Amino acid sequence: MNFKLKGVEIIKMEAKLINEFKSGDSIEGFFLIKGVSVKTSSNNKTYLDITFADKSGEINGKKWDSSSEDEELYTENKLVKLRGNISEWQGRLQLKVLKIRPSEDEDNVNIEEFVMSAPEKSEEMYNELIKYIDRISNKDIKGITSHIINESKDKLLYYPAAKSNHHSIKSGLLYHVITMLRSGDKLSDIYTHLNKDLLFAGIILHDMSKLDEMSASELGIVTEYTIEGQLLGHIIQGIKRIEKVAELVGADKEVAMLLEHMILSHHYEPEFGSPKRPMIPEAELLHYLDIIDSRMFDMAKALETVDSNEFSDRIWVLHNRQVYKTNIK
Amino acid sequence: MNFKLKGVEIIKMEAKLINEFKSGDSIEGFFLIKGVSVKTSSNNKTYLDITFADKSGEINGKKWDSSSEDEELYTENKLVKLRGNISEWQGRLQLKVLKIRPSEDEDNVNIEEFVMSAPEKSEEMYNELIKYIDRISNKDIKGITSHIINESKDKLLYYPAAKSNHHSIKSGLLYHVITMLRSGDKLSDIYTHLNKDLLFAGIILHDMSKLDEMSASELGIVTEYTIEGQLLGHIIQGIKRIEKVAELVGADKEVAMLLEHMILSHHYEPEFGSPKRPMIPEAELLHYLDIIDSRMFDMAKALETVDSNEFSDRIWVLHNRQVYKTNIK
Amino acid sequence: MNFKLKGVEIIKMEAKLINEFKSGDSIEGFFLIKGVSVKTSSNNKTYLDITFADKSGEINGKKWDSSSEDEELYTENKLVKLRGNISEWQGRLQLKVLKIRPSEDEDNVNIEEFVMSAPEKSEEMYNELIKYIDRISNKDIKGITSHIINESKDKLLYYPAAKSNHHSIKSGLLYHVITMLRSGDKLSDIYTHLNKDLLFAGIILHDMSKLDEMSASELGIVTEYTIEGQLLGHIIQGIKRIEKVAELVGADKEVAMLLEHMILSHHYEPEFGSPKRPMIPEAELLHYLDIIDSRMFDMAKALETVDSNEFSDRIWVLHNRQVYKTNIK
Amino acid sequence: MNFKLKGVEIIKMEAKLINEFKSGDSIEGFFLIKGVSVKTSSNNKTYLDITFADKSGEINGKKWDSSSEDEELYTENKLVKLRGNISEWQGRLQLKVLKIRPSEDEDNVNIEEFVMSAPEKSEEMYNELIKYIDRISNKDIKGITSHIINESKDKLLYYPAAKSNHHSIKSGLLYHVITMLRSGDKLSDIYTHLNKDLLFAGIILHDMSKLDEMSASELGIVTEYTIEGQLLGHIIQGIKRIEKVAELVGADKEVAMLLEHMILSHHYEPEFGSPKRPMIPEAELLHYLDIIDSRMFDMAKALETVDSNEFSDRIWVLHNRQVYKTNIK
Amino acid sequence: MNFKLKGVEIIKMEAKLINEFKSGDSIEGFFLIKGVSVKTSSNNKTYLDITFADKSGEINGKKWDSSSEDEELYTENKLVKLRGNISEWQGRLQLKVLKIRPSEDEDNVNIEEFVMSAPEKSEEMYNELIKYIDRISNKDIKGITSHIINESKDKLLYYPAAKSNHHSIKSGLLYHVITMLRSGDKLSDIYTHLNKDLLFAGIILHDMSKLDEMSASELGIVTEYTIEGQLLGHIIQGIKRIEKVAELVGADKEVAMLLEHMILSHHYEPEFGSPKRPMIPEAELLHYLDIIDSRMFDMAKALETVDSNEFSDRIWVLHNRQVYKTNIK
Amino acid sequence: MNFKLKGVEIIKMEAKLINEFKSGDSIEGFFLIKGVSVKTSSNNKTYLDITFADKSGEINGKKWDSSSEDEELYTENKLVKLRGNISEWQGRLQLKVLKIRPSEDEDNVNIEEFVMSAPEKSEEMYNELIKYIDRISNKDIKGITSHIINESKDKLLYYPAAKSNHHSIKSGLLYHVITMLRSGDKLSDIYTHLNKDLLFAGIILHDMSKLDEMSASELGIVTEYTIEGQLLGHIIQGIKRIEKVAELVGADKEVAMLLEHMILSHHYEPEFGSPKRPMIPEAELLHYLDIIDSRMFDMAKALETVDSNEFSDRIWVLHNRQVYKTNIK
C-alpha cells in the first residue's frame, strides 16, 4: 500500500492493524488518539506520550522533541495519520512516531472505524430493547422501565459498560443489556416460575446509572468518573432514579422496592458493592446473567489473538487467569 | 413484702429484680411479657412459653397446662403479676409460673417501669437534639436535617437503636444520637478542620431510617423488620429519604450527595453494609463515633453485673469477647 | 375421611400431607420411614425416634415405650400407616405416634408416592439425555460420554444429586443434568463461539461420579458417602473415570484432558473443591449453569410454602438467606 | 528573587516550595537531602540519585556525572543549595540538578526549617504531657508512666510516630500522644464509667517503645528498624519495659498487667499485631482514639493540596482511598 | 465381677471402661468426678449434673433427687463408686446414677488410675529433659533454660498442655516437650545448619508459661485460665519470664531476644497469637515440630476407638476433619 | 587472574562469582545464559537482554547494539565467556557486556559447573531412594512406587522441584524427596503408630508428576509448564498415574486410593491445590515434612549471603519475610 504523507510519496510501509504489530515493524496508517500527556525526557526536552488506538486495539507511542504546536494539535479523541517504528520495551510493544499529522477531510476516513464498537448496530439494538419493554405486562414495571429508557436513549446509544474491563467499547452497555435480555428470555422459558416482567426490567435497569456514574465521549470512551459516581456509585444512583421515576409515574411501592432490590443486589457480594444479596429468584438470575455475559465477552476477546493449543496472557478481569484455546473440531 | 394475689394473702415471697434471681428462689412481683408462644409438652398438654422482663433484664418462663383462656390473657407487651420458682436448665435460669394474673388498674404499677430505657428523659434529649440542629449554619444542611427530625419525632421518642445488641432499649436510638453529638462536638474542637454542620447532620441522620427498617412498639421493643427493611436496609432507605427531602426543601445537590455519602459509608466495611468507605473526614469520624458509642454502651452493660477482678460471659456483639472488671482505684 | 387401622373404625382423623401439619392436629395416614434410632427416655424406657416423610416433606416423630419387636418392624425406607398428634417443640413440629403398623399389600399404596421425585419421568429424561449425546459431533467426546452414561444408566435413573441441599430427591441428578442441558443448548445459541460438544459433554459428566461418591437407595435417598467418596470426592473420581474410559474408547488425549479440566474446575473456587479455575469458556459456562440450576431449584422449593409478601426461613444452602415471595402480577 | 550560587549572579530562577513545583519549572533554593545513592547510568557514568525535601514535601532528583568528591559532599541529612529543572517521568515529578553546593554558615538557613514538624512546639507539648501525668491519681500508674516518660524525654522531643505513614514528621510521636490525650480527656467526660488514670497512662505509653523499635535522626527521620524492633516489635518491647519499670517502682502487679494489656491490645486485630483484643473499656477507647488521630491527620494532609470539588490521589495508608474536598460553607 | 455397694451384694453388673459403654448397659465401678453442678428439674427437685471420667474417657451423668448432703459429698476431683444405666440422648450417651458413694480407703483404688496420663513416667521424662539441657553448650541459653525449668519442676510434673484439645492429660505438657525434643534432635541431624542450643531451648520454653496461664489440679485437670492468662496469654507471659531470668543469670541480650522471638513466633499466624512470624530457621522448625506433635497425638487418639476402614467423628481440633483408619498391612 | 578473550591478553579483570559482584566491579569469566530476549533501545537499536548465571546466582545483563549474528549465537542454556561492568539500577545489580564470545572446547569449562545443583550426587541419591523402596514391605505399595520410579528415573536424575522457589536447582526434586525420606524415617521411629510403607511411598510419589507438569532442560531449568500441567496440575496428574500403574501391577484398590489421597491432600489447603485435607496420619505428616524441607532449604539459601546480625531481603516464597542471621555460638 502506497500513500502520501504531507505530499511525500511513501513506499512499502505497512498498513497493519494494531493487533498485528510486531517488534521491528515499520508501520503507517490512521489511528485515534485515546490519551496524551506532555512529558520531559532525560535530555530535558518535551515529548508527547500518546495512546494510539484503532478498532483492533491500543498501543503506547512517543512523539519525541515535541513543540507547543504539537501539544495543541494532538489531543484526545483526535484522528491522526502517522508513520512509525515498533519496538519492545519491558515486554510490551511501543510505537516511535517518525511522522504525524492530523487527519483531514480529504483523507476520507471515518473516526467511527477507529473505535472498538459493539458488533451490532446501536439503533437496531435499541429497537430490540423497546420490544422487550413492550412485552412487559405489569403496567408499573413497564412505566418505570420505559420512562428511564426514554430519558437515557441518547447516551445509551454510545456508552460503554465500563471504563476498562468487559464491554468497554462503544455501545457496550446497550450490547451487554441486549445479550442479557436474550439469555434471560430463553432461561425464563426453562425456569417457568420466574416473573418475566421483573426479570426484563431488572436486566434493562441494572447498569443504567452507569450513564451517571461515568462521563464518556460519544466515541464510547470513558474519560472519568463523576463526583457522585465516586461518592455513591451507580447502584445507589440507580436506586435513587427508580424511586424518583416510580413516584413520577405513580407506580406501586412494592414494584419500586423490588426493582430497587434487584439493582441493589445484582453485584451479589458486599465487597463488590451489594450490601444485600438477592432475595427473589429474578434478582438471583439477574446476577448470573450479568456475570455470564461479561465472562463470555472477556474470554472471547482474550482468545481472539491466541493460537490453538496456546494460552492467553493472564487477564486481570478474569481473576488473573490465562485462557486456553482448544483445537477441538 | 406481703401482698395479695387474687385475694389470697401471700407471705414471704421475694420481690426481686430479674437480674437478682438465683436458682432456687421463690419469687413474686410484676413483669412484662415480651414474647409468648403456645407449645405442647411431652405429656400432650399445652403450655405457654413466655419471656418475662423488667427494667433489669429478661427471663424465660413456663406456664404449664395452659388453657385457651390463658392464651388470650397473656400476650405480648402485657403487664402481669406472678408467683414462681427459679431453677437452672442448661446453664440458664428459668421461671416456673405458679400463679399469674394480668395487672389491674388498682395495682398502681406503670408499664414504663418495666422496660429498659435510656438513662435520660426522651423529651430532654429531643430538646438537646434540636439545639444541635440550631447550631448548623449551612441552611441546606439544616433544612434537610430539621425536616427529617420533625417527621420522625413521634417514633424517635421511644424507638430503640436495634432489635437486640447495642442500645436495644426504649429511646435507645435517641440516646445513641445524643451521646454521639456530644462526642462529635468535643472532638471537632480538637480536629478543627472538620465541618461541624456536616458532622452534626451526619450523626443525626445516620440511623434515622431504622424507624422505617424495623417495627417497634411504644415500649421500644422491636417486633420485626419491615419488608423494605429486609430488602433494602436502613442505609438505602435513609439515602432515599434524604434525596426526597432535599428536593422538597430545595437543597443544593452537593449537600444532599454528601449527606447521602455519609449515610452510605458509615458502616465502613462492605460486609457490614457500606459499599463505599468514607471519602470525607466527617464521614470517617462519624463511623468511629458510632462504633465508640456502641462499644462503650455494650461494655458498660456487660460489666454491670460483674464483680471486680472477674470476667463477664462472652458477649457476641463484642466479637464474642469477655470483658474484665478492674479493681483500680 | 374414615378408614380402618387394624380393623378398628376410626373417625374424623385428618389425612393431611406433612407440609400441611399444624401444632394441635390429630392426623393419620401412610408415611415413609426415612430414618430411625432406638433411644432411652428419662424414665429409662426405650422409644423409637423416627423421621417420617411423604412427598411433601419430613417430620420427626416419637414412638414411646417401644418393644424389640417394634425395632425390627420399623426400619429405614419402610412404609407405615399411623395415627398421631402434632405438637411443637423448640420451634419445630413433632409427631407423637399413637398407633402404627407396617403398610400391607391390601393397602394398595405405592411407596413411590411417598418420595420426593423429580417432576419429570426418569425414562423420558434419560431418553432426552441420549438425544443430546446424539447431537455431539466430535466422535471422541461422544464416545467417552456415551460409554459413561451407558455404564451409569441404572443408578442414574433414581440417584439424587446430593445428600441434602439442591436436588436431593429421587432422580434429582438426572433432572439437574437435563435442565442444565436445556439451558446450555439455549445459551450456546447466543454465545456462538462456544463448542457445543464440549459443553454438552461437560454438563452430562460434571456430577456423574456422585454415583460413586455416595450410596443411595432406589428411593433416591443417600445413606452415606463411600470411603473413596470421602477420601477423594466425586471430582477426582470423575477425572479418573474419564481417563479410563478415554483410553478404552481410544479417544484423543486432548479431548480427555479438556473434559477432565471441565470436571476439575466446575466448582470454581478452591475452597469448594476446584483446585483450578475454568480456563476455557465452556468450563466457565458449565459452572454458572450448574449454580443457576441449583439456585432456581432451591429458591422455588423455599417459596413453595411461603405466602405472598412473606419471607421464607433462613435457608442454609442459599448462604443462609431468606427468600421473599412477591405479589407482582 | 535574585541570589548568588558560588559567586555567580542568578536571575529569575524561582524559589518555590517543593509542593508548588510543576513540570517545566526552573527552580533554585535550599533543600534537605533525605536519602542518596550512587548509581551507574546506561552510558556507564556514575550519578547521584537523591531525595530532596523541604518542609512542604519531597522530590526525587538526579545529579548526573557525579564525582567521588560529590559522593562525600552530598550525604543524608545534609542541607544543600541547588538550581535545577523539574520534569515529569512516569507520572511523577523529577528534579534534574544543574548546580549544587552544601549550605554554608553565611547562608543563614536553619535546617529545622526544612523538616516537616508537628505544628506545636515540642517543649510545650512535653509540658502539657507532664500535666496529664500530674492528673493521674493512682500512684502506681503515675509512677510507671512518669518513670518511662522521664527516661524517654530526649528522644520523645523529636521522634516521629512512624517511618512513613501517619505522623512521620519531627516530634510526630509526641504530637500524636498529646492530641489523643486531649480527645481522651474530653470523651471520658462523656463516658464517665471510664478510669481516667488508666486511659491517660495507656495513651501516653501505647507507642512509647517506638523509640526502641526504630532508629531516628534528630530531624525526626527514621533511618531503620532496630534488630529487636524487627524480631519483637514495639508492642512487645513496650510490655517488657512496663514490666521492668513496674518492678523498679514497686507497683501493684494488677496495674502493670492492665497497662500491658492495653499496650498488647491497642492494634486491635491480630493481623495488625495485637494477639489479644481489648477486654477493658479503657483499652477499647485507646484503640479508637489512636485510629481517629491517625486518620484525621492523614486525611487533613491528603486534602492540603487538593482543590474544592476534587479528589486526592489514592492514599495507601487510607486503605488506598481517594479523599474528597467539599465546598460546603 | 461381684462386689458390695454399701453392704449390699450386687450381682452381674458390668465393670466396663467408659469408652466401652453402650446404650442399654447396666454398669458399676469407680469413676472420677471431673465436674459437677446442682440443677433443678422440671418437677422442681434438685439433681446433680456430673461429668464422670476414668482413664478411657468421660461421660455425662445425672443423680436425680439430690440432697444437700449429696452436694457436699460429690465434688470435683472426688473418686466415687457407682451403679447406673447408660442411655442415649440427642446422639450422646448418658449415665443415670442408681447408687453412688464416695470411694473409701478400704476400696484400695488409686485416683491416679482414673486420670488420662502421658504414656511415660513424669520423673523419667523430666530426667530426659535435663539431659537435653545438659547438651546445650551456649552458657547463656543453658542458664536461662535451666533456671526456668528448675522453677517450674513441681507443676511441670503434672500439668497438661491444654484445657481441652491436644495433650490435655496429666503430664501432657512434659510429654509434649519431650517428644518434640526427640524429633528436634533427629531433624537437626538432617538440617545441620541449625543451632541445636537455640532449638532445644526454644522447644523446652515454648509453652512453659502455660503453667502461669492456666490453673490445673495435681490430676492434670485445668480448672480455669488465670486473669493474666486471659489478658496477656502464655506467649507474652513467657517472654516476660525469659526477660527476667535473662537479667537474673546475666545472659547476653541477643540470646534473650532470640529466645523471646522464638516464643513470640511459635504460633506462626497472627490470628493464633503470633504477631511476628519466625525469622530464624530454629523458630520455623520449632513451629512445625509443635504442630506435628499435636496432630500426631490428636489423630492417634481419634483412631483409638475406630475400626479399620471406618472414619472417626468430626474432630474440632483437627479442623473438624474425620480421620480414617486404614487396614494396610 | 589473567586470561585471553578472543586472543587478547586481559589484565587485572576480576573472576568473581556472581554472588560476590558489587556495583563498580569490572569482571570477566564464564557464565551460563539462562534467558535472553531481543529488545529495541530508545535510540532505536536492538540489544540483547540476558540473564547470566553461575552456580552462585544470577544477574541481568545488557549486550548493547546487538547484531542478528549475536541473536543466533547467544541463546538459552549456552555457556559464554564475557567481560563487563557491574552497576546498580533501581536497587539491583546489572551487568553491561563489554566483550562476549561463546565458550569453546579448548576453554575446558564444564557447563555442569555453572548450574546450581543439589549438594549430593544424583546417582547416589537415586540409589538411596531405591533402598527406601526396598524397605517397603506391602507388595502393592512397593509395586506401584517401584514402577513409577523406574519410569521416571531419567528425568528424576536432573529435574528441579520447581520453576522458581524452593529446590529450583538441578536434581532438586530428587534431593527434596531424599531429605524428606530421611526425616520421615526418623520421625516414624518416634511416632510409631504410623505405617512406614505408606509414608515412604507418599513421600516418594508426592511430587513425581512435576516431571509431567513442567518441561525442564537437562540442566534442571524449567522452560515452561505443559498444557496438561496448567489445565490439571501435578496433583491430578499424579493421581491419574497412580491409578493407571495400580491397575497395571494389579494392586489392591484400597492401596491405590490411599496413595491417591496422600497426593491429593499434601498441599493441605484448598487454595494451594488440595481439595481434601489429610484424613490419615501419614498424609498429615507428609504435608509437614514437605513444608519443613522447603522452608529449611529456602531459609538456608537466604542466609548464605547475609552477615551475622543482619537480615536478608524480603523473600517472597517465605511469605515475604526477612530472615535473620544470629551470631550465637
Side-chain angles (χ1 to χ4, degrees), chain B residues 118-301:
Chain B
E120 305 186 25
K121 294 235 166 90
S122 313
E123 282 294 347
E124 288 175 11
M125 292 194 288
Y126 187 83
N127 292 340
E128 187 176 343
L129 175 65
I130 297 300
K131 280 184 195 144
Y132 279 103
I133 296 180
D134 288 345
R135 288 173 56 195
I136 296 176
S137 55
N138 178 295
K139 80 168 188 16
D140 290 338
I141 299 179
K142 186 187 223 147
I144 293 170
T145 310
S146 184
H147 189 99
I148 290 178
I149 289 303
N150 281 343
E151 281 180 355
S152 311
K153 182 177 178 183
D154 286 356
K155 285 179 165 186
L156 187 53
L157 288 176
Y158 62 84
Y159 249 66
K163 189 164 200 278
S164 46
N165 306 351
H166 85 93
H167 295 94
S168 55
I169 56 175
K170 198 188 163 199
S171 310
L173 178 57
L174 182 52
Y175 181 56
H176 176 51
V177 165
I178 276 297
T179 318
M180 285 173 66
L181 280 167
R182 292 169 188 161
S183 296
D185 192 12
K186 299 253 187 184
L187 292 193
S188 54
D189 287 342
I190 293 170
Y191 301 108
T192 53
H193 58 290
L194 297 172
N195 182 303
K196 281 205 184 203
D197 291 355
L198 273 179
L199 184 62
F200 287 178
I203 291 172
I204 293 168
L205 299 177
H206 81 289
D207 272 352
M208 209 44 67
S209 285
K210 285 195 169 180
L211 305 181
D212 305 316
E213 187 188 33
M214 313 179 299
S215 302
S217 71
E218 298 210 359
L219 296 173
I221 300 165
V222 172
T223 49
E224 57 172 11
Y225 283 84
T226 62
I227 291 176
E228 199 191 47
Q230 285 199 82
L231 292 178
L232 300 179
H234 73 274
I235 286 184
I236 303 303
Q237 292 173 296
I239 290 171
K240 297 199 319 185
R241 196 170 179 189
I242 290 171
E243 184 74 9
K244 244 175 246 184
V245 171
E247 212 167 302
L248 205 72
V249 305
D252 183 63
K253 282 201 171 306
E254 170 99 0
V255 162
M257 180 185 71
L258 288 171
L259 291 177
E260 287 164 8
H261 172 71
M262 290 180 85
I263 304 312
L264 185 64
S265 63
H266 89 273
H267 282 190
Y268 211 84
E269 303 289 349
E271 59 268 38
F272 300 142
S274 284
K276 295 278 182 183
R277 281 194 166 143
M279 297 189 205
I280 58 174
E282 292 80 8
E284 185 83 8
L285 187 58
L286 168 61
H287 166 69
Y288 286 111
L289 291 174
D290 189 16
I291 214 164
I292 285 174
D293 193 53
S294 58
R295 295 288 163 74
M296 290 302 106
F297 181 90
D298 287 332
M299 285 192 156
K301 189 175 156 202

Side-chain angles (χ1 to χ4, degrees), chain F residues 55 79 109-117 122 158 170 218-219:
Chain F
K55 64 188 172 187
L79 196 60
V109 290
N110 182 353
I111 195 166
E112 296 273 323
E113 290 165 24
F114 290 81
V115 173
M116 287 188 68
S117 279
S122 313
Y158 63 83
K170 197 187 164 200
E218 299 210 359
L219 295 173

Side-chain angles (χ1 to χ4, degrees), chain C residues 94-290:
Chain C
Q94 204 172 58
L95 185 158
K96 183 181 170 190
V97 173
L98 300 176
K99 298 228 170 188
I100 185 168
R101 67 161 170 83
S103 163
E104 297 157 8
D105 288 354
E106 63 220 53
D107 289 333
N108 271 327
V109 291
N110 183 353
I111 195 165
E112 295 275 321
E113 288 166 25
F114 291 81
V115 174
M116 287 188 69
S117 280
E120 305 185 24
K121 294 236 166 90
S122 311
E123 282 293 347
E124 287 174 12
M125 292 194 287
Y126 187 82
N127 291 339
E128 186 176 343
L129 175 65
I130 296 301
K131 279 184 197 146
Y132 278 104
I133 297 181
D134 288 344
R135 286 173 57 194
I136 297 177
S137 55
N138 178 294
K139 83 170 186 16
D140 290 338
I141 298 178
K142 185 187 223 146
I144 293 170
T145 310
S146 183
H147 188 99
I148 291 178
I149 289 304
N150 280 343
E151 281 180 354
S152 309
K153 182 176 178 183
D154 286 355
K155 284 178 164 188
L156 186 54
L157 288 176
Y158 63 83
Y159 250 66
K163 190 163 198 280
S164 46
N165 306 351
H166 85 93
H167 296 96
S168 56
I169 55 173
K170 196 184 165 203
S171 311
L173 179 56
L174 182 52
Y175 181 57
H176 177 48
V177 166
I178 277 297
T179 318
M180 285 174 66
L181 280 167
R182 291 170 189 161
S183 296
D185 192 14
K186 300 251 188 185
L187 291 193
S188 53
D189 287 342
I190 292 170
Y191 300 108
T192 53
H193 58 291
L194 297 171
N195 181 304
K196 281 206 182 198
D197 292 355
L198 274 180
L199 183 63
F200 286 178
I203 291 171
I204 293 169
L205 298 177
H206 82 288
D207 272 352
M208 209 44 66
S209 284
K210 285 196 169 179
L211 305 181
D212 305 316
E213 188 188 33
M214 315 179 297
S215 302
S217 71
E218 298 211 0
L219 295 174
I221 301 164
V222 173
T223 50
E224 56 172 12
Y225 282 84
T226 63
I227 292 176
E228 200 191 45
Q230 285 198 82
L231 291 177
L232 300 180
H234 72 274
I235 286 184
I236 303 303
Q237 292 173 298
I239 290 171
K240 296 199 321 186
R241 195 170 181 189
I242 290 172
E243 184 74 9
K244 242 174 245 183
V245 171
E247 212 167 303
L248 204 72
V249 305
D252 185 61
K253 280 198 173 307
E254 171 98 358
V255 161
M257 181 185 71
L258 289 171
L259 291 177
E260 287 164 8
H261 172 70
M262 291 180 83
I263 304 312
L264 186 63
S265 62
H266 89 273
H267 282 189
Y268 212 84
E269 304 288 349
E271 61 267 38
F272 299 143
S274 285
K276 296 277 182 184
R277 281 195 167 142
M279 296 188 204
I280 58 175
E282 292 82 6
E284 185 83 6
L285 186 57
L286 168 61
H287 167 68
Y288 286 110
L289 291 175
D290 189 15

Side-chain angles (χ1 to χ4, degrees), chain E residues 32-232:
Chain E
L32 178 72
I33 294 178
K34 286 199 72 173
V36 64
S37 56
V38 183
K39 296 187 174 172
T40 307
S41 66
S42 55
N43 61 1
N44 213 20
K45 297 187 174 169
T46 57
Y47 67 94
L48 300 182
D49 188 76
I50 312 179
T51 303
F52 296 106
D54 62 17
K55 65 187 173 187
S56 78
E58 302 181 357
I59 190 169
N60 177 266
K62 312 289 182 203
K63 164 83 187 71
W64 299 102
D65 297 346
S66 60
S67 62
S68 53
E69 186 189 44
D70 288 340
E71 293 178 25
E72 277 165 42
L73 277 178
Y74 304 112
T75 54
E76 218 173 79
N77 295 335
K78 278 277 180 67
L79 196 60
V80 298
K81 184 167 196 177
L82 66 78
R83 196 164 55 154
N85 294 322
I86 307 303
S87 60
E88 186 186 323
W89 190 71
Q90 296 199 340
R92 304 187 59 178
L93 294 181
Q94 204 173 60
L95 186 158
K96 183 182 172 188
V97 174
L98 299 176
K99 299 230 168 184
I100 184 167
R101 68 163 169 82
S103 163
E104 298 157 6
D105 289 354
E106 64 220 51
D107 288 334
N108 271 325
V109 292
N110 183 354
I111 195 166
E112 295 275 321
E113 290 166 24
F114 291 80
V115 173
M116 287 187 70
S117 280
E120 305 186 25
K121 295 234 166 90
S122 311
E123 281 294 347
E124 288 175 10
M125 292 193 289
Y126 186 81
N127 292 339
E128 187 176 343
L129 175 64
I130 296 301
K131 279 184 196 145
Y132 279 103
I133 297 181
D134 288 345
R135 286 171 59 192
I136 297 176
S137 55
N138 178 294
K139 83 170 184 18
D140 289 339
I141 298 178
K142 186 187 223 146
I144 293 170
T145 310
S146 183
H147 189 99
I148 290 178
I149 289 304
N150 280 343
E151 282 180 354
S152 310
K153 182 176 177 184
D154 287 355
K155 284 179 165 185
L156 186 55
L157 288 176
Y158 63 83
Y159 249 66
K163 190 163 198 280
S164 46
N165 305 353
H166 85 93
H167 295 97
S168 57
I169 55 175
K170 197 185 164 201
S171 310
L173 179 56
L174 183 51
Y175 181 56
H176 176 49
V177 166
I178 277 297
T179 317
M180 284 174 67
L181 280 167
R182 292 171 188 159
S183 297
D185 192 14
K186 300 250 188 186
L187 292 194
S188 54
D189 287 341
I190 292 170
Y191 300 108
T192 54
H193 59 290
L194 296 171
N195 182 303
K196 281 205 181 201
D197 291 356
L198 274 180
L199 184 62
F200 288 177
I203 291 171
I204 292 168
L205 299 176
H206 82 288
D207 272 352
M208 208 45 66
S209 285
K210 284 196 167 179
L211 305 180
D212 305 317
E213 188 188 35
M214 315 179 298
S215 302
S217 71
E218 298 210 359
L219 296 174
I221 301 166
V222 173
T223 49
E224 57 172 11
Y225 283 85
T226 62
I227 291 176
E228 199 191 48
Q230 285 198 82
L231 290 178
L232 300 180

Side-chain angles (χ1 to χ4, degrees), chain B residues 191 279 284 293 321 324, chain D residues 191 268 279 284 293 321 324:
Chain B
Y191 301 108
M279 297 189 205
E284 185 83 8
D293 193 53
R321 275 176 288 176
Y324 178 70
Chain D
Y191 300 108
Y268 211 85
M279 296 188 206
E284 184 84 7
D293 193 52
R321 276 176 288 176
Y324 178 69

